[in-house]
Amino acid sequence: MRTSRWTGAAARLALLVILTLAALTAPPPSAWLRTAAPAGEERVTPRVARVWPVGARPRVLRGWEPPATAYGRGHRGVDLAAAPGTPVRAVAAGRVSFAGRVAGRGVVSVALTGTGDPALRTTYEPVLASVAEGAEVSAGEVIGTVEATGSHCAAPCVHWGLLRADTYLDPLALLPPWLLRGGPSRLLPVLGVPVPE
């Protein structure tokens, strides 16, 4: 009786570990990947990003929530966990269209090369800029550091936005699938089973 109880507990633990790993390696919810465009202007966001703005695969603290109207409630970007002083990188090549302060927050905006007319623009805040307006930047180039103050997040973060003209889009749509998923699947050892010789 005691052996079957331990076997059942081990099986439940193994199942819990497998389900946890599956949840952690799954792509983000589809609600974070949708984009909004005005009626009659259905454009696909090109997956031009080559890096995340901060870190290798930062935690998304709050996803994109498109507003129902131009001035409605929503979240016009994504919040990525990032400690103050963390380097912020351009996700794709482009030209710095703005580097300065807006409402007391440091903001950097980059018009992305080869993304149409008008070009897609990424925004990053709160960022202490290390680039100037008009500067050409390459994908992965550091454009500043996360400021200690000015964030609207409960935890330290950088807000990453994406616009085409005056239309806000989901910045995660810029990332190719291999950056969203975080790498290939890996097989893990089964605990408690002897290794075959």
Side-chain angles (χ1 to χ4, degrees):
M1 181 72 180
R2 182 170 235 144
T3 304
S4 66
R5 182 180 293 173
W6 284 108
T7 303
R12 285 191 297 276
L13 178 61
L15 180 61
L16 178 64
V17 168
I18 290 169
L19 291 175
T20 301
L21 290 172
L24 292 174
T25 59
S30 60
W32 293 358
L33 299 176
R34 59 180 193 258
T35 58
E41 189 186 318
E42 295 299 321
R43 282 191 175 178
V44 175
T45 302
R47 296 189 180 273
V48 296
R50 296 295 168 252
V51 295
W52 284 88
V54 291
R57 189 173 190 275
R59 189 163 41 103
V60 176
L61 300 176
R62 184 175 177 194
W64 186 67
E65 300 164 13
T69 64
Y71 300 104
R73 295 182 65 175
H75 191 239
R76 294 161 175 84
V78 295
D79 295 337
L80 305 173
T86 300
V88 178
R89 297 181 301 273
V91 297
R95 179 183 299 274
V96 177
S97 56
F98 181 83
R101 301 201 76 72
V102 176
R105 294 181 182 155
V107 177
V108 175
S109 182
V110 178
L112 304 181
T113 304
T115 57
D117 187 25
L120 290 170
R121 287 178 296 140
T122 54
T123 60
Y124 312 86
E125 65 175 272
V127 174
L128 178 61
S130 60
V131 292
E133 189 173 321
E136 293 284 337
V137 294
S138 57
E141 184 174 335
V142 174
I143 58 174
T145 56
V146 177
E147 289 186 323
T149 59
S151 171
H152 62 261
C153 303
C157 80
V158 64
H159 178 84
W160 177 32
L162 175 66
L163 298 102
R164 184 179 300 277
D166 294 329
T167 302
Y168 285 89
L169 304 168
D170 181 4
L172 292 178
L174 289 172
L175 296 169
W178 58 270
L179 274 176
L180 282 171
R181 286 194 206 105
S185 299
R186 293 185 178 89
L187 296 176
L188 299 174
V190 179
L191 302 174
V193 175
V195 176
E197 293 182 21

